Amino acid sequence: MARRKPLVVVTRKLPDKIETRMRELFDARLNVDDVPMSQAALAEAVATADVLVPAICDRIDARVIEAAGPNLKLIANFGNGVDHIDVTAATERGITITNTPGVLTEDTADMTMALILAVPRRLTEGAALITSDDGAWPGWSPTWMLGHRIWGKRLGIIGMGRIGQAVARRARAFGLQIHYHNRRPLPAQIEEDLEATYWDSLDQMLARMDILSINCPHTPATFHLLSARRLKLVRRDAYIVNTARGEVIDEHALIRMIEQGEIAGAGLDVFEREPAVSPKLLKLARAGKVVLLPHMGSATVEARVDTGEKVIVNIKAFMDGHRPPDRVLPAML
């Protein structure tokens, strides 16, 4: 008798290529309408599934884990970050967690570099003005729409993992000086190749940078890593770019300091209460003080397909009795 295909519940619409492959390999229950699942729907899914494939928008908390049936043995996350999953609760229930590291690196670094350019050079402000209906552009002037040069400035990267290093490579090509704070220094050869200066003290680095790029994951240790106290250390003419997780910054404090001119501006692709965006941030965006994007740092066709393929590899390895290549353990967080 043929072995039963595992029931795999996918919480969001994935690229057609990935969904087709999942239907071939598994008994895949797809979300073709791409309607976000409620907590009740997630609890119902884990009660019957062998594998759950969630995304960042799904909150797989302890209550959802408690509803898991005896067949649920794997949560194969579609994405790298697992801060939306209670990994400890799942591990205690004997449920394996996997993610998809590496596939988003280059695309997220591209978007980070785009924001590093966009904020000091007022790109979105200029684009909005030239396409407005009121004909507000009076023509070129030597003193109009002046931004700030990034060449020669100091870039402080917070979190020097794959994405942080990819940002550093791009930033060097634009003439930025690379500084970074990390849990530990990079190997000497990588540090030399990037011409990067390590700061053991985040506080000291914050006070000396022209631009700050947040590229660390959201964990209990990094929640509000840039707290109100630390934001006060940032120079008044500095810019902050965040393509990591909104929770890493005390967003309320950041808004207040930009409003008061204590920080020059910010480029944000992520938000603390996503998908809700603070009305105060929207007001600052209209004033040209911040650039806001709808969490699209990794939004490329290639990244989404590569992510889906990693999910499939993890499920196949697990179902074939092997250790999945991208297993996540509580000790890793």
Side-chain angles (χ1 to χ4, degrees):
M1 183 179 296
R3 185 173 61 175
R4 178 181 73 88
K5 289 183 177 181
L7 173 59
V8 176
V9 177
V10 183
T11 66
R12 297 303 296 264
K13 178 78 177 72
L14 303 183
D16 288 346
K17 177 181 178 181
I18 298 303
E19 291 188 337
T20 299
R21 187 62 177 147
M22 283 188 168
R23 290 296 300 270
E24 292 170 349
L25 295 170
F26 318 123
D27 178 10
R29 187 182 301 168
L30 306 175
N31 185 350
V32 294
D33 296 324
D34 204 27
V35 177
M37 295 177 69
S38 66
Q39 294 304 104
L42 289 169
E44 183 179 346
V46 298
T48 57
D50 297 301
V51 179
L52 181 72
V53 180
I56 186 176
C57 46
D58 303 306
R59 185 160 53 89
I60 313 301
D61 57 17
R63 188 166 297 181
V64 171
I65 299 296
E66 288 173 4
N71 291 334
L72 185 73
K73 298 299 181 184
L74 175 65
I75 297 177
N77 187 54
F78 185 89
N80 186 31
V82 293
D83 47 304
H84 57 296
I85 301 173
D86 192 328
V87 176
T88 299
T91 303
E92 290 174 352
R93 285 287 302 270
I95 300 169
T96 297
I97 308 293
T98 62
N99 66 344
T100 59
V103 296
L104 311 178
T105 300
E106 303 303 331
D107 300 309
T108 304
D110 285 345
M111 190 61 77
T112 303
M113 198 65 224
L115 286 172
I116 289 172
L117 286 164
V119 181
R121 295 302 305 273
R122 304 172 68 180
L123 295 189
T124 59
E125 190 181 352
L129 188 144
I130 202 168
T131 56
S132 65
D133 296 329
D134 58 8
W137 185 39
W140 185 87
S141 165
T143 57
W144 191 69
M145 283 297 292
L146 297 181
H148 288 278
R149 174 186 296 162
I150 69 166
W151 184 90
K153 297 296 194 296
R154 293 186 177 93
L155 172 65
I157 298 174
I158 302 171
M160 203 62 147
R162 294 184 185 91
I163 295 173
Q165 291 176 45
V167 171
R169 291 195 299 272
R170 287 157 174 77
R172 281 185 60 227
F174 281 84
L176 286 152
Q177 299 175 35
I178 308 303
H179 298 251
Y180 74 100
H181 170 78
N182 209 35
R183 285 183 294 179
R184 60 185 67 87
L186 294 172
Q189 186 59 56
I190 296 177
E191 195 172 83
E192 182 180 342
D193 291 344
L194 296 174
E195 299 179 20
T197 300
Y198 174 68
W199 291 81
D200 179 63
S201 168
L202 176 58
D203 287 5
Q204 291 184 18
M205 186 181 83
L206 292 176
R208 292 164 172 82
M209 297 298 111
D210 301 297
I211 303 169
L212 293 160
S213 177
I214 299 174
N215 299 107
C216 61
H218 172 221
T219 68
T222 63
F223 176 77
H224 281 191
L225 182 67
L226 264 64
S227 60
R229 180 192 69 79
R230 281 199 167 116
L231 287 170
K232 290 179 181 178
L233 302 174
V234 176
R235 291 169 42 174
R236 297 177 69 91
D237 58 351
Y239 299 93
I240 296 176
V241 168
N242 188 7
T243 56
R245 287 291 187 269
E247 294 89 344
V248 178
I249 302 180
D250 183 336
E251 191 173 280
H252 178 73
L254 176 68
I255 292 170
R256 184 179 67 251
M257 294 183 70
I258 295 175
E259 288 175 335
Q260 296 174 356
E262 296 173 3
I263 293 176
L268 306 175
D269 186 44
V270 289
F271 307 93
E272 187 167 354
R273 294 167 184 84
E274 202 170 306
V277 179
S278 168
K280 292 183 177 181
L281 273 177
L282 298 176
K283 184 178 179 180
L284 286 171
R286 289 190 288 270
K289 296 294 186 181
V290 300
V291 175
L292 308 178
L293 297 176
H295 202 146
M296 55 188 289
S298 62
T300 67
V301 172
E302 295 86 351
R304 296 293 186 254
V305 170
D306 289 350
T307 300
E309 289 176 346
K310 263 195 174 272
V311 169
I312 291 172
V313 168
N314 281 315
I315 297 173
K316 275 287 293 173
F318 184 84
M319 289 301 168
D320 290 343
H322 305 297
R323 179 188 176 94
D326 301 308
R327 186 178 183 184
V328 177
L329 297 171
M332 299 166 60
L333 303 177

